[in-house]
Structure formats: structure tokens, C-alpha cells
Amino acid sequence: MIELKHKEIFQAAPQLKVIAPGRINILGEHLDYNGGVVLPAAVNRSLEFTFSTSPSAEATLFIYASSLNEHATIDPKSKLTRGWMAYFANALVALKEESLSIDQDISICFDGNIPLGAGMSSSAALCCGLIQGLSDLHHWSLSPARIAKLAQRTEHLTGANCGLMDQYAVMFSKEGHILKLDNSDLATSLIPWNLSDTSFLLINSKVDHQLAGTDSDYNQRRAVCEKGLALLQQKFPEVQHLATATSIHLTYLMDHMIPDDIIKISYVLEETARVSEAEVAIQQGDAKALGHLMYQTHKGLSEKYQVAIPETDFLANLGPLIDGVYGARMVGAGFGGCVLFLVEKAKAKRIIEQVHRKYLDLFGIDSTGFEVEISDGVSSRLM
Ligand code: GLA
């Protein structure tokens, strides 16, 4: 138990425990930074943090990453750009930018079962959980939206130019519901998830992805979209977000961008249309229709947005060949990570085994597969 670990490592009883979940995304991939609607949900895989404080003018974080068995000491002057420690250092920078400074020594133990670099937004869970904990310890009373934005800023400082979907999923999710986040105005609502005979499976391709880095594939995709929007706005200033552009706008862009970029932007427009259909399918409890949309999204991510890899293509393409699978698609940023399956609940275990065997045969990689439940967002408890 993390509480015992905390006592053992820091010789102090934890005063606060925070649990921050990972997420899946049903549909709306790469739409958050394009002002589109996304449909994520937190799941029952999470990071847990325990915190204890002691008065000190130095204001230092003493951190123990339990599953990695690694220690770090970070003060507000630490400059780190790599590894999990960079998120802690950059969270302090992000808070400082908003005149929020820690005023005591804080010992933090954290542990969890979200696979890292697997498209389940372990970094958003890390940043949101940490900032939630620091907010509670200092009585800053930060709103969930503010924590989400501070966590996003932390990721930007660490080199991934991400949107806000992951942080909102961590902060606003509710058990038994899909979160609808409209990134044009950050309005949120909850759609009840009524497909009780179905399960979501995550199959980890075990190919790690890396979002951070000035030239990362993720940042490049975002740059293409931003360029497209900027070009569009020169002629059509009323278009505020790429996700709300139309085919007329796309035709205009054809004279101003290379064909490969146009293909990527066409994915954004098509995915936006799919999200509206997915919302209806969820409301009607239509697993077949939703699954079909998931397959189409994967195809778009693979062939147009070009963020899938042979491993995730293979996994998603297994879906139609296996009895009991409604739909499958890569989830999160791409370039590796997990493939999300929507399946008949009763067949879930067998499907995991079948996928595992076929993937092992072809790629020689021992994938991990697990069923996930749609869960609550972040929680925090004084101890
Ligand atoms: C990562 C980013 C998100 C989002 C997804 C793709 O998870 O952190 O902001 O862009 O990729 O949908």
C-alpha cells in the first residue's frame, strides 16, 4: 500500500491522498487542439499520490516513484526537461507563473497502474494529480478547469504541445458517463453510458510513443493544423477553429498547402462529423454503429492523419475478424500505444487471448490486454 510505503520512505504519515485516473477516448482523436468535440472517459487505471509536509524555507519536493524505485529532489529552481521528474519541476514553474508557490517541504510518494507512453494519458494523470495535491495542501482552492490548464502548461513546458482533452478527462470524468468536451469553448457535459452488455478493452502494442520534443510527430501534426487555420483565416476570418471548417474551406486550402497536409486536414473535418454520429450512437445504445465509427476513425488516423504504425494497424484490423468485436481503433496521440476495442462483455476474455496470440505470432511482442471500466475523475482525501 502506498500509505505504508510513504511512511517507510519518509518516516512520516501521509496527510493527503490523491488518485488521478488514466483515460480512454471513444471518438474525437486529435480534435482537442483543433477546437473540436471529443468524447473521452476516465478509466479504473490510475496514479496514486500521498503527500506529507514539513515547515521549511527551502520549499523542496522530495519524491519517491514507488513502481520505478526512483527518488528525486526538486526545488523551484530545478530545471529538468526529461523523464518523469521534469513534470514535477515544470509543474512548479507553471504554478509560479500564476504566482502560486509552495511554502514548505513536501514529501510525495506515487505509484500506479497506468502503462506509461501507451496513449492512456499517464502524464496528464501525473500533472493533474500533483497539482490537485499541491492545491489542497496550500488551500489554493483551484477549480478543476484551472488545474487542467496548469497541467497542460506543465506538459507544454516539458515539450509536448498537447490540447486539453486528457487533463479535462482526468478532472471532469464521472463513473458510468462519457465526457463531452467542446474545445471551442471548453464546455463540458456528461453522456450516460448505457451499453451494459459491452466492454472496453485496451490492448497495449508495447510500442512506446513520445509526444515531447520540438520536432516530435505529435507537435508536427499540430503545426500542420495551425498553419492550415492561419491560412484559412486570411481569407475566411470567421473560421475560428479548424474543426469547424467546411469542404469549401478545404478546397480553398488546396491551392495553398501541399497535398499531404490537405489529407491530414481532411481527417480533422471527417473526424468532427464522426463525433456527432458517435454521440447519437452512444445515446441510442447502438454498439454496432459506434464500433463502425471507431473502425472509420482508425482508418482516418492511419491513412490520412498518419499517426498509426504497423503494430496498431494490425491490432485494429483484427477487430472485424474476431467474433464479438464491435469496433477497434488506436487511442490517444498514436505512434504506438494502446488500441481500444469495444466488445461484447461476455466474450471479452476470449478476445484478449485471441488478439494476444495473433499479435505475438506476427510481431513477436507480448502485448498486454485488459478490460477497463469507465470511472470517476480525480479524487482527493485528507488523511
Ligand atoms: C494526446 C494529447 C491530447 C490529444 C490526443 C490526441 O493524448 O495529450 O491533447 O491531442 O493526444 O487526441
Side-chain angles (χ1 to χ4, degrees):
M1 250 179 43
I2 189 168
E3 290 85 347
L4 294 177
K5 208 49 174 177
H6 189 109
K7 270 191 199 151
E8 180 194 322
I9 299 286
F10 298 116
Q11 310 296 314
Q15 294 157 237
L16 178 77
K17 181 170 178 178
V18 174
I19 301 179
R23 60 108 190 86
I24 53 174
N25 181 22
I26 317 303
L27 226 81
E29 213 63 273
H30 288 275
L31 289 190
D32 58 351
Y33 54 81
N34 284 309
V37 174
V38 296
L39 300 171
V43 294
N44 57 339
R45 291 260 170 159
S46 56
L47 294 184
E48 296 187 340
F49 304 74
T50 43
F51 298 80
S52 61
T53 59
S54 55
S56 159
E58 303 300 320
T60 301
L61 301 181
F62 298 96
I63 309 156
Y64 177 65
S66 186
S67 50
L68 304 169
N69 190 23
E70 287 176 6
H71 291 263
T73 302
I74 286 167
D75 64 44
K77 283 177 242 82
S78 301
K79 292 226 175 336
L80 292 166
T81 50
R82 295 177 72 82
W84 63 266
M85 299 164 197
Y87 292 108
F88 285 82
N90 288 327
L92 294 187
V93 176
L95 288 165
K96 188 108 191 287
E97 288 174 351
E98 299 200 5
S99 306
L100 297 163
S101 297
I102 59 169
D103 57 7
Q104 54 198 328
D105 280 353
I106 304 174
S107 299
I108 305 171
C109 183
F110 78 99
D111 200 357
N113 59 2
I114 311 176
L116 303 178
M120 289 181 66
S121 87
S122 52
S123 57
L126 184 68
C127 299
C128 291
L130 170 67
I131 296 170
Q132 177 74 61
L134 297 180
S135 171
D136 292 349
L137 289 172
H138 293 85
H139 308 288
W140 291 331
S141 304
L142 302 179
S143 69
R146 189 139 176 235
I147 292 178
K149 286 174 194 161
L150 283 161
Q152 181 197 36
R153 174 71 183 141
T154 304
E155 297 237 25
H156 287 184
L157 289 167
T158 314
N161 205 6
C162 62
L164 269 168
M165 170 174 75
D166 302 349
Q167 297 75 8
Y168 264 65
V170 176
M171 298 308 300
F172 289 91
S173 286
K174 189 120 201 67
E175 191 185 335
H177 293 78
I178 306 298
L179 178 71
K180 177 181 174 187
L181 169 64
D182 184 342
N183 289 278
S184 67
D185 57 4
L186 296 179
T188 58
S189 55
L190 293 162
I191 310 174
W193 177 254
N194 295 323
L195 287 86
S196 50
D197 297 339
T198 64
S199 284
F200 281 116
L201 308 181
L202 282 169
I203 309 291
N204 189 350
S205 69
K206 294 267 190 79
V207 181
D208 286 356
H209 71 176
Q210 181 60 258
L211 267 56
T214 29
D215 211 24
S216 76
D217 290 315
Y218 180 87
N219 289 347
Q220 280 179 27
R221 292 300 177 284
R222 183 166 183 167
V224 167
C225 293
E226 281 171 353
K227 184 174 159 203
L229 180 63
L231 286 167
L232 209 51
Q233 285 176 333
Q234 287 172 12
K235 170 88 175 159
F236 304 98
E238 70 280 9
V239 179
Q240 293 198 4
H241 305 281
L242 200 60
T244 49
T246 64
S247 53
I248 294 170
H249 301 133
L250 193 66
T251 308
Y252 169 80
L253 283 179
M254 283 176 188
D255 291 335
H256 298 82
M257 293 182 93
I258 57 166
D260 194 54
D261 288 350
I262 296 294
I263 290 173
K264 291 189 179 109
I265 290 177
S266 70
Y267 161 81
V268 173
L269 273 55
E270 288 163 9
E271 181 71 349
T272 302
R274 278 191 289 269
V275 170
S276 312
E277 290 180 51
E279 215 188 310
V280 176
I282 294 170
Q283 272 153 357
Q284 295 180 342
D286 189 342
K288 265 200 189 141
L290 187 59
H292 179 66
L293 290 164
M294 289 170 70
Y295 284 134
Q296 285 185 317
T297 289
H298 185 86
K299 201 165 150 46
L301 287 164
S302 176
E303 293 171 9
K304 296 194 162 180
Y305 214 59
Q306 299 161 43
V307 293
I309 56 168
E311 288 84 347
T312 49
D313 274 343
F314 176 78
L315 288 169
N317 293 337
L318 277 180
L321 309 176
I322 298 179
D323 176 42
V325 178
Y326 291 112
R329 70 173 196 83
M330 51 143 281
V331 69
F335 319 107
C338 285
V339 172
L340 177 71
F341 282 67
L342 176 66
V343 306
E344 279 177 47
K345 201 175 192 52
K347 298 182 178 158
K349 275 209 174 66
R350 201 172 38 76
I351 292 169
I352 293 177
E353 281 161 21
Q354 277 175 278
V355 172
H356 179 267
R357 206 174 45 244
K358 289 182 195 288
Y359 189 61
L360 186 64
D361 281 353
L362 192 68
F363 289 96
I365 302 176
D366 196 11
S367 66
T368 41
F370 45 91
E371 217 173 320
V372 286
E373 306 275 340
I374 296 178
S375 306
D376 281 334
V378 75
S379 67
S380 168
R381 180 167 61 85
L382 285 171
M383 307 181 76

